[in-house]
Amino acid sequence: MTRPFFLETDMPEPKLTGVAPILPVKDLRRALDFYQSVMGFDEGWVAGEPPRIASVCRDAVELMLREEPATSQASIYISVSGVDGYFALVSRAGAKVSYAIADREYGMRDF
């Protein structure tokens, strides 16, 4: 197989190292508070005057939150080691869980 022209150098092959989904939120301050106090994330950065976009981080995961007047639904799936412990932690902190933690037919244990 012929290598693409941009890989015909002595440079190391590029590797994807992460993804940071941008989630629409109605109230940025409220979303930041939720991700910090309930989900256990830290504030990464906040931008804009007034602030309209920010990030929250936990371990190797970064989520961006963007304030939008009419939000659309977004879905993300975050892999967690020790999912039962994390479920207990966020439940005690007040997370509204849509689905109880369980082993799923698609081979994952999630909530």
Side-chain angles (χ1 to χ4, degrees):
M1 176 192 278
T2 304
R3 293 178 59 164
F5 73 91
F6 54 86
L7 292 179
E8 293 178 2
T9 67
D10 292 333
M11 295 175 55
E13 186 172 335
K15 297 201 182 320
L16 303 179
T17 60
V19 62
I22 302 173
L23 306 176
V25 298
K26 288 183 182 177
D27 183 327
L28 184 59
R29 272 286 133 213
R30 189 171 171 208
L32 284 168
D33 181 58
F34 170 79
Y35 276 96
Q36 291 174 84
S37 64
V38 176
M39 302 304 286
F41 281 70
D42 294 318
E43 184 177 289
W45 51 264
V46 178
E49 192 51 53
R52 293 288 179 238
I53 189 166
S55 80
V56 290
C57 304
R58 181 177 173 139
D59 304 318
V61 173
E62 178 182 19
L63 305 176
M64 288 189 263
L65 310 171
R66 180 173 50 211
E67 190 169 277
E68 297 180 7
T71 61
S72 57
Q73 185 174 349
S75 297
I76 58 171
Y77 196 97
I78 300 173
S79 298
V80 177
S81 62
V83 69
D84 290 278
Y86 189 61
F87 175 79
L89 178 78
V90 300
S91 295
R92 281 193 309 270
K96 294 180 179 131
V97 178
S98 299
Y99 302 97
I101 191 164
D103 295 320
R104 307 291 178 203
E105 62 189 35
Y106 43 85
M108 304 294 282
R109 181 165 181 78
D110 60 19
F111 62 95

PDB file of all heavy atoms in Angstrom, residues 2-25:
ATOM      1  N   THR A   2       0.575   2.211  -0.811  1.00  0.00           N
ATOM      2  CA  THR A   2       1.326   3.459  -0.902  1.00  0.00           C
ATOM      3  C   THR A   2       0.941   4.365   0.264  1.00  0.00           C
ATOM      4  O   THR A   2      -0.232   4.520   0.580  1.00  0.00           O
ATOM      5  CB  THR A   2       1.017   4.179  -2.227  1.00  0.00           C
ATOM      6  OG1 THR A   2       1.291   3.284  -3.295  1.00  0.00           O
ATOM      7  CG2 THR A   2       1.852   5.431  -2.364  1.00  0.00           C
ATOM      8  N   ARG A   3       1.950   4.949   0.896  1.00  0.00           N
ATOM      9  CA  ARG A   3       1.691   5.883   1.998  1.00  0.00           C
ATOM     10  C   ARG A   3       1.241   7.220   1.440  1.00  0.00           C
ATOM     11  O   ARG A   3       1.722   7.650   0.396  1.00  0.00           O
ATOM     12  CB  ARG A   3       2.963   6.091   2.819  1.00  0.00           C
ATOM     13  CG  ARG A   3       3.385   4.844   3.570  1.00  0.00           C
ATOM     14  CD  ARG A   3       4.654   5.066   4.312  1.00  0.00           C
ATOM     15  NE  ARG A   3       4.452   6.170   5.264  1.00  0.00           N
ATOM     16  CZ  ARG A   3       5.246   6.422   6.275  1.00  0.00           C
ATOM     17  NH1 ARG A   3       6.297   5.697   6.478  1.00  0.00           N
ATOM     18  NH2 ARG A   3       5.004   7.422   7.086  1.00  0.00           N
ATOM     19  N   PRO A   4       0.332   7.902   2.131  1.00  0.00           N
ATOM     20  CA  PRO A   4      -0.062   9.245   1.700  1.00  0.00           C
ATOM     21  C   PRO A   4       1.146  10.171   1.653  1.00  0.00           C
ATOM     22  O   PRO A   4       2.095  10.008   2.418  1.00  0.00           O
ATOM     23  CB  PRO A   4      -1.058   9.693   2.772  1.00  0.00           C
ATOM     24  CG  PRO A   4      -1.492   8.446   3.461  1.00  0.00           C
ATOM     25  CD  PRO A   4      -0.356   7.469   3.329  1.00  0.00           C
ATOM     26  N   PHE A   5       1.115  11.146   0.772  1.00  0.00           N
ATOM     27  CA  PHE A   5       2.251  12.059   0.588  1.00  0.00           C
ATOM     28  C   PHE A   5       2.682  12.730   1.881  1.00  0.00           C
ATOM     29  O   PHE A   5       3.853  12.967   2.104  1.00  0.00           O
ATOM     30  CB  PHE A   5       1.940  13.123  -0.480  1.00  0.00           C
ATOM     31  CG  PHE A   5       0.974  14.174  -0.014  1.00  0.00           C
ATOM     32  CD1 PHE A   5       1.416  15.341   0.588  1.00  0.00           C
ATOM     33  CD2 PHE A   5      -0.392  13.989  -0.160  1.00  0.00           C
ATOM     34  CE1 PHE A   5       0.523  16.305   1.024  1.00  0.00           C
ATOM     35  CE2 PHE A   5      -1.285  14.947   0.274  1.00  0.00           C
ATOM     36  CZ  PHE A   5      -0.834  16.110   0.868  1.00  0.00           C
ATOM     37  N   PHE A   6       1.724  13.029   2.763  1.00  0.00           N
ATOM     38  CA  PHE A   6       2.089  13.756   3.978  1.00  0.00           C
ATOM     39  C   PHE A   6       2.772  12.852   5.004  1.00  0.00           C
ATOM     40  O   PHE A   6       3.284  13.323   5.997  1.00  0.00           O
ATOM     41  CB  PHE A   6       0.873  14.455   4.602  1.00  0.00           C
ATOM     42  CG  PHE A   6      -0.296  13.538   4.875  1.00  0.00           C
ATOM     43  CD1 PHE A   6      -0.376  12.820   6.041  1.00  0.00           C
ATOM     44  CD2 PHE A   6      -1.310  13.416   3.934  1.00  0.00           C
ATOM     45  CE1 PHE A   6      -1.446  11.983   6.292  1.00  0.00           C
ATOM     46  CE2 PHE A   6      -2.385  12.594   4.178  1.00  0.00           C
ATOM     47  CZ  PHE A   6      -2.451  11.860   5.355  1.00  0.00           C
ATOM     48  N   LEU A   7       2.798  11.548   4.758  1.00  0.00           N
ATOM     49  CA  LEU A   7       3.519  10.642   5.647  1.00  0.00           C
ATOM     50  C   LEU A   7       4.856  10.211   5.056  1.00  0.00           C
ATOM     51  O   LEU A   7       5.560   9.401   5.629  1.00  0.00           O
ATOM     52  CB  LEU A   7       2.660   9.403   5.945  1.00  0.00           C
ATOM     53  CG  LEU A   7       1.414   9.649   6.776  1.00  0.00           C
ATOM     54  CD1 LEU A   7       0.646   8.345   6.964  1.00  0.00           C
ATOM     55  CD2 LEU A   7       1.738  10.258   8.120  1.00  0.00           C
ATOM     56  N   GLU A   8       5.207  10.746   3.902  1.00  0.00           N
ATOM     57  CA  GLU A   8       6.464  10.376   3.251  1.00  0.00           C
ATOM     58  C   GLU A   8       7.614  11.226   3.766  1.00  0.00           C
ATOM     59  O   GLU A   8       8.395  11.775   3.014  1.00  0.00           O
ATOM     60  CB  GLU A   8       6.321  10.511   1.730  1.00  0.00           C
ATOM     61  CG  GLU A   8       5.356   9.509   1.143  1.00  0.00           C
ATOM     62  CD  GLU A   8       5.176   9.666  -0.345  1.00  0.00           C
ATOM     63  OE1 GLU A   8       5.832  10.538  -0.949  1.00  0.00           O
ATOM     64  OE2 GLU A   8       4.371   8.924  -0.908  1.00  0.00           O
ATOM     65  N   THR A   9       7.722  11.325   5.065  1.00  0.00           N
ATOM     66  CA  THR A   9       8.821  12.047   5.705  1.00  0.00           C
ATOM     67  C   THR A   9       9.378  11.174   6.819  1.00  0.00           C
ATOM     68  O   THR A   9       8.869  10.086   7.095  1.00  0.00           O
ATOM     69  CB  THR A   9       8.326  13.381   6.314  1.00  0.00           C
ATOM     70  OG1 THR A   9       7.461  13.070   7.400  1.00  0.00           O
ATOM     71  CG2 THR A   9       7.616  14.230   5.289  1.00  0.00           C
ATOM     72  N   ASP A  10      10.388  11.665   7.482  1.00  0.00           N
ATOM     73  CA  ASP A  10      10.969  10.925   8.601  1.00  0.00           C
ATOM     74  C   ASP A  10      10.284  11.272   9.918  1.00  0.00           C
ATOM     75  O   ASP A  10      10.750  10.885  10.977  1.00  0.00           O
ATOM     76  CB  ASP A  10      12.464  11.227   8.699  1.00  0.00           C
ATOM     77  CG  ASP A  10      13.219  10.660   7.515  1.00  0.00           C
ATOM     78  OD1 ASP A  10      12.752   9.661   6.933  1.00  0.00           O
ATOM     79  OD2 ASP A  10      14.282  11.213   7.174  1.00  0.00           O
ATOM     80  N   MET A  11       9.188  12.000   9.842  1.00  0.00           N
ATOM     81  CA  MET A  11       8.475  12.387  11.046  1.00  0.00           C
ATOM     82  C   MET A  11       7.720  11.179  11.607  1.00  0.00           C
ATOM     83  O   MET A  11       7.285  10.314  10.856  1.00  0.00           O
ATOM     84  CB  MET A  11       7.477  13.501  10.742  1.00  0.00           C
ATOM     85  CG  MET A  11       8.139  14.789  10.305  1.00  0.00           C
ATOM     86  SD  MET A  11       6.946  16.063   9.801  1.00  0.00           S
ATOM     87  CE  MET A  11       5.899  16.171  11.217  1.00  0.00           C
ATOM     88  N   PRO A  12       7.575  11.110  12.922  1.00  0.00           N
ATOM     89  CA  PRO A  12       6.796  10.010  13.490  1.00  0.00           C
ATOM     90  C   PRO A  12       5.334  10.124  13.042  1.00  0.00           C
ATOM     91  O   PRO A  12       4.832  11.215  12.775  1.00  0.00           O
ATOM     92  CB  PRO A  12       6.921  10.209  14.999  1.00  0.00           C
ATOM     93  CG  PRO A  12       7.414  11.593  15.191  1.00  0.00           C
ATOM     94  CD  PRO A  12       8.081  12.028  13.922  1.00  0.00           C
ATOM     95  N   GLU A  13       4.675   8.978  12.962  1.00  0.00           N
ATOM     96  CA  GLU A  13       3.276   8.971  12.552  1.00  0.00           C
ATOM     97  C   GLU A  13       2.433   9.677  13.608  1.00  0.00           C
ATOM     98  O   GLU A  13       2.602   9.436  14.811  1.00  0.00           O
ATOM     99  CB  GLU A  13       2.790   7.529  12.388  1.00  0.00           C
ATOM    100  CG  GLU A  13       1.386   7.456  11.835  1.00  0.00           C
ATOM    101  CD  GLU A  13       0.986   6.032  11.496  1.00  0.00           C
ATOM    102  OE1 GLU A  13       1.861   5.204  11.243  1.00  0.00           O
ATOM    103  OE2 GLU A  13      -0.214   5.785  11.503  1.00  0.00           O
ATOM    104  N   PRO A  14       1.530  10.561  13.195  1.00  0.00           N
ATOM    105  CA  PRO A  14       0.678  11.258  14.161  1.00  0.00           C
ATOM    106  C   PRO A  14      -0.226  10.270  14.904  1.00  0.00           C
ATOM    107  O   PRO A  14      -0.635   9.264  14.342  1.00  0.00           O
ATOM    108  CB  PRO A  14      -0.164  12.196  13.301  1.00  0.00           C
ATOM    109  CG  PRO A  14       0.443  12.193  11.955  1.00  0.00           C
ATOM    110  CD  PRO A  14       1.250  10.966  11.825  1.00  0.00           C
ATOM    111  N   LYS A  15      -0.510  10.584  16.154  1.00  0.00           N
ATOM    112  CA  LYS A  15      -1.401   9.764  16.952  1.00  0.00           C
ATOM    113  C   LYS A  15      -2.456  10.659  17.587  1.00  0.00           C
ATOM    114  O   LYS A  15      -2.148  11.739  18.063  1.00  0.00           O
ATOM    115  CB  LYS A  15      -0.625   9.044  18.047  1.00  0.00           C
ATOM    116  CG  LYS A  15       0.406   8.071  17.509  1.00  0.00           C
ATOM    117  CD  LYS A  15       0.773   7.053  18.542  1.00  0.00           C
ATOM    118  CE  LYS A  15       1.821   6.084  18.111  1.00  0.00           C
ATOM    119  NZ  LYS A  15       1.799   5.568  16.806  1.00  0.00           N
ATOM    120  N   LEU A  16      -3.678  10.208  17.552  1.00  0.00           N
ATOM    121  CA  LEU A  16      -4.747  10.933  18.233  1.00  0.00           C
ATOM    122  C   LEU A  16      -4.577  10.692  19.729  1.00  0.00           C
ATOM    123  O   LEU A  16      -4.385   9.568  20.162  1.00  0.00           O
ATOM    124  CB  LEU A  16      -6.109  10.443  17.766  1.00  0.00           C
ATOM    125  CG  LEU A  16      -6.358  10.542  16.263  1.00  0.00           C
ATOM    126  CD1 LEU A  16      -7.732  10.005  15.918  1.00  0.00           C
ATOM    127  CD2 LEU A  16      -6.209  11.965  15.784  1.00  0.00           C
ATOM    128  N   THR A  17      -4.644  11.760  20.513  1.00  0.00           N
ATOM    129  CA  THR A  17      -4.363  11.625  21.938  1.00  0.00           C
ATOM    130  C   THR A  17      -5.539  11.974  22.839  1.00  0.00           C
ATOM    131  O   THR A  17      -5.431  11.889  24.046  1.00  0.00           O
ATOM    132  CB  THR A  17      -3.171  12.513  22.335  1.00  0.00           C
ATOM    133  OG1 THR A  17      -3.485  13.871  22.036  1.00  0.00           O
ATOM    134  CG2 THR A  17      -1.914  12.091  21.607  1.00  0.00           C
ATOM    135  N   GLY A  18      -6.653  12.372  22.274  1.00  0.00           N
ATOM    136  CA  GLY A  18      -7.803  12.672  23.111  1.00  0.00           C
ATOM    137  C   GLY A  18      -8.925  13.271  22.302  1.00  0.00           C
ATOM    138  O   GLY A  18      -8.783  13.565  21.117  1.00  0.00           O
ATOM    139  N   VAL A  19     -10.040  13.424  22.959  1.00  0.00           N
ATOM    140  CA  VAL A  19     -11.201  14.059  22.352  1.00  0.00           C
ATOM    141  C   VAL A  19     -11.880  14.880  23.448  1.00  0.00           C
ATOM    142  O   VAL A  19     -11.913  14.471  24.601  1.00  0.00           O
ATOM    143  CB  VAL A  19     -12.159  13.009  21.732  1.00  0.00           C
ATOM    144  CG1 VAL A  19     -12.705  12.065  22.778  1.00  0.00           C
ATOM    145  CG2 VAL A  19     -13.278  13.675  20.975  1.00  0.00           C
ATOM    146  N   ALA A  20     -12.369  16.047  23.095  1.00  0.00           N
ATOM    147  CA  ALA A  20     -13.061  16.904  24.057  1.00  0.00           C
ATOM    148  C   ALA A  20     -14.381  17.348  23.435  1.00  0.00           C
ATOM    149  O   ALA A  20     -14.423  18.322  22.691  1.00  0.00           O
ATOM    150  CB  ALA A  20     -12.202  18.102  24.438  1.00  0.00           C
ATOM    151  N   PRO A  21     -15.444  16.618  23.700  1.00  0.00           N
ATOM    152  CA  PRO A  21     -16.732  17.004  23.131  1.00  0.00           C
ATOM    153  C   PRO A  21     -17.175  18.362  23.659  1.00  0.00           C
ATOM    154  O   PRO A  21     -16.866  18.732  24.787  1.00  0.00           O
ATOM    155  CB  PRO A  21     -17.683  15.903  23.584  1.00  0.00           C
ATOM    156  CG  PRO A  21     -16.995  15.184  24.683  1.00  0.00           C
ATOM    157  CD  PRO A  21     -15.538  15.446  24.551  1.00  0.00           C
ATOM    158  N   ILE A  22     -17.884  19.100  22.833  1.00  0.00           N
ATOM    159  CA  ILE A  22     -18.447  20.396  23.228  1.00  0.00           C
ATOM    160  C   ILE A  22     -19.931  20.173  23.480  1.00  0.00           C
ATOM    161  O   ILE A  22     -20.689  19.841  22.560  1.00  0.00           O
ATOM    162  CB  ILE A  22     -18.228  21.460  22.146  1.00  0.00           C
ATOM    163  CG1 ILE A  22     -16.733  21.617  21.866  1.00  0.00           C
ATOM    164  CG2 ILE A  22     -18.851  22.792  22.583  1.00  0.00           C
ATOM    165  CD1 ILE A  22     -16.425  22.522  20.684  1.00  0.00           C
ATOM    166  N   LEU A  23     -20.341  20.339  24.725  1.00  0.00           N
ATOM    167  CA  LEU A  23     -21.723  20.098  25.118  1.00  0.00           C
ATOM    168  C   LEU A  23     -22.469  21.417  25.261  1.00  0.00           C
ATOM    169  O   LEU A  23     -21.997  22.329  25.946  1.00  0.00           O
ATOM    170  CB  LEU A  23     -21.763  19.336  26.444  1.00  0.00           C
ATOM    171  CG  LEU A  23     -20.964  18.031  26.482  1.00  0.00           C
ATOM    172  CD1 LEU A  23     -21.008  17.424  27.880  1.00  0.00           C
ATOM    173  CD2 LEU A  23     -21.491  17.054  25.454  1.00  0.00           C
ATOM    174  N   PRO A  24     -23.642  21.546  24.634  1.00  0.00           N
ATOM    175  CA  PRO A  24     -24.426  22.770  24.785  1.00  0.00           C
ATOM    176  C   PRO A  24     -25.105  22.803  26.156  1.00  0.00           C
ATOM    177  O   PRO A  24     -25.624  21.787  26.624  1.00  0.00           O
ATOM    178  CB  PRO A  24     -25.457  22.661  23.661  1.00  0.00           C
ATOM    179  CG  PRO A  24     -25.620  21.190  23.438  1.00  0.00           C
ATOM    180  CD  PRO A  24     -24.280  20.578  23.742  1.00  0.00           C
ATOM    181  N   VAL A  25     -25.050  23.963  26.818  1.00  0.00           N
ATOM    182  CA  VAL A  25     -25.707  24.140  28.121  1.00  0.00           C
ATOM    183  C   VAL A  25     -26.476  25.459  28.111  1.00  0.00           C
ATOM    184  O   VAL A  25     -26.096  26.399  27.422  1.00  0.00           O
ATOM    185  CB  VAL A  25     -24.691  24.114  29.292  1.00  0.00           C
ATOM    186  CG1 VAL A  25     -23.980  22.766  29.364  1.00  0.00           C
ATOM    187  CG2 VAL A  25     -23.684  25.232  29.188  1.00  0.00           C
TER     188      VAL A  25
END
